[in-house]
């Protein structure tokens, strides 16, 4: 049997033209977006750690509901300040958007990050009435789908408000990360990886679920999307995989800036 190089399977930048330039682009786009916004609240605390902060972006009218976007970076990198521009599409569609930072590994275990994101969602949900949509990219896709697994870290009334989950290039089965160099910092055992893998758990919410992934993703990310669908299809009435043509792991999130893109419309419930 051919041995799989799991470090390579989860590698993205090396397979994307100018992949190393994307973080700077994200940060510049985020800064430019913030400079144009008047209705926003930055660095709203949801815990005592300096990274436990949320940026809230408000539409010009009463919000139809709340979108929470959780960033990726393999639980090891980035913060909310790289992704502010991704709030534009939902805000233009009259939704409030919350983007939290969280304590990264190895300072925090993946299970502790899960609990933090639940607190961030609870905190944001108290600020905005109406339905809640959870979305996240890569590791963020894991964190938002993990919110509706049994046991869920969310309160029952918050779970009941979740209308949709959109996992963008999400990691839903964490077991193979054990075989990567990243695990020196993630510190996942097999038991912990199983416990934190949405594809290996039972969902408890009735929300619609979309696994959105680019056609040019690494094969592992395409597999991760179908793994969640196949695992949850007997529990979730409306769960689907959408493979967006000509998109890779770093640009698949970009269309969240466009209020009329298929991804934004899927987010707000008008696919």
């Amino acid at each position: 049997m051919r041995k799989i190089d799991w470090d390579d399977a989860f590698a993205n930048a090396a397979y994307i033209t100018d992949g190393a330039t994307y973080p700077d682009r994200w940060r510049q786009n985020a800064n430019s977006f913030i400079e144009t916004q008047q209705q926003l609240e930055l660095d709203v605390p949801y815990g005592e750690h300096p990274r436990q902060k949320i940026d809230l972006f408000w539409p010009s009218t009463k919000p139809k509901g709340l979108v929470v976007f959780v960033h990726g970076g393999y639980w090891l990198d980035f913060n909310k300040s790289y992704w502010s521009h991704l709030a534009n599409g939902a805000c233009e569609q009259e939704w409030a958007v919350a983007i939290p930072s969280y304590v990264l590994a190895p300072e925090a275990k993946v299970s502790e990050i899960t609990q933090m994101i639940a607190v961030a969602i609870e905190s944001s949900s108290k600020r905005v009435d109406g339905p809640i949509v959870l979305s996240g990219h890569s590791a963020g896709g894991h964190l938002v789908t993990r919110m509706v697994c049994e046991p869920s870290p969310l309160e029952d009334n918050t779970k009941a408000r979740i209308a949709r989950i959109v996992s963008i290039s999400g990691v839903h089965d964490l077991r193979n990360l054990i075989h990567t160099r990243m695990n020196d910092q993630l510190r996942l055992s097999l038991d912990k990886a199983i416990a934190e893998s949405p594809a290996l758990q039972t969902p408890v919410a009735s929300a619609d679920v979309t696994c959105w992934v680019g056609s040019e993703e690494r094969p592992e990310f395409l597999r991760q999307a179908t793994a969640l669908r196949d695992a949850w299809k007997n529990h979730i009435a409306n769960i689907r995989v959408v493979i967006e043509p000509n998109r890779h792991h770093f640009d698949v999130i970009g269309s969240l800036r466009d209020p009329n893109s298929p991804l934004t419309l899927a987010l707000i419930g008008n696919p």
Side-chain angles (χ1 to χ4, degrees):
M1 183 180 294
R2 183 176 66 87
K3 184 178 179 180
I4 297 174
D5 182 345
W6 288 109
D7 286 301
D8 183 71
F10 284 100
N12 289 299
Y15 291 89
I16 295 170
T17 302
D18 298 323
T21 69
Y22 274 83
D24 284 343
R25 294 192 219 176
W26 294 328
R27 190 63 180 264
Q28 292 169 9
N29 289 334
N31 289 341
S32 296
F33 176 74
I34 283 178
E35 289 174 359
T36 68
Q37 300 304 298
Q38 295 182 337
Q39 300 194 68
L40 75 168
E41 297 176 64
L42 301 180
D43 296 324
V44 178
Y46 69 90
E48 296 183 359
H49 193 283
R51 290 188 61 92
Q52 290 179 293
K53 303 285 179 61
I54 302 167
D55 288 347
L56 281 162
F57 301 90
W58 299 92
S60 57
T61 60
K62 182 179 179 180
K64 295 177 179 177
L66 171 69
V67 172
V68 180
F69 176 83
V70 182
H71 73 79
Y74 285 124
W75 309 269
L76 296 167
D77 204 358
F78 301 120
N79 60 52
K80 59 184 174 54
S81 302
Y82 285 80
W83 319 102
S84 310
H85 54 297
L86 301 183
N88 185 69
C91 282
E92 290 287 331
Q93 291 281 5
E94 301 179 348
W95 287 70
V97 178
I99 304 180
S101 288
Y102 47 89
V103 183
L104 300 172
E107 183 177 355
K109 299 176 183 178
V110 172
S111 58
E112 293 171 335
I113 296 172
T114 294
Q115 297 298 320
M116 266 182 267
I117 292 303
V119 175
I121 293 168
E122 298 285 2
S123 177
S124 302
S125 71
K126 292 176 173 59
R127 307 283 301 275
V128 184
D129 294 331
I132 298 171
V133 177
L134 303 181
S135 183
H137 176 237
S138 197
H142 157 263
L143 290 165
V144 296
T145 51
R146 177 65 182 82
M147 292 300 108
V148 294
C149 294
E150 181 63 44
S152 169
L154 293 175
E155 296 176 4
D156 288 344
N157 61 337
T158 305
K159 288 201 301 275
R161 291 176 57 190
I162 298 173
R164 285 172 298 284
I165 300 170
V166 180
S167 175
I168 307 167
S169 306
V171 182
H172 307 121
D173 182 346
L174 277 58
R175 288 176 295 179
N176 291 329
L177 290 165
I178 295 172
H179 308 298
T180 69
R181 288 188 294 271
M182 287 186 289
N183 203 41
D184 292 344
Q185 299 180 76
L186 296 176
R187 299 173 292 165
L188 287 168
S189 65
L190 180 58
D191 288 346
K192 290 178 181 177
I194 291 172
E196 289 299 319
S197 293
L200 305 178
Q201 305 301 327
T202 302
V204 294
S206 59
D208 294 347
V209 177
T210 298
C211 301
W212 196 282
V213 66
S215 66
E216 297 179 7
E217 298 264 7
R218 303 286 289 132
E220 176 62 13
F221 286 91
L222 291 161
R223 187 195 72 81
Q224 291 275 344
T226 58
L228 188 73
R229 179 199 61 197
D230 293 346
W232 283 13
K233 63 185 179 182
N234 292 328
H235 304 279
I236 300 288
N238 295 308
I239 183 168
R240 60 175 181 158
V241 171
V242 176
I243 301 175
E244 185 174 2
N246 305 314
R247 293 285 188 177
H248 54 64
H249 194 74
F250 286 175
D251 67 5
V252 69
I253 51 175
S255 55
L256 286 175
R257 303 172 70 179
D258 179 357
N260 296 306
S261 73
L263 179 53
T264 300
L265 296 178
L267 196 71
I268 65 169
N270 185 26

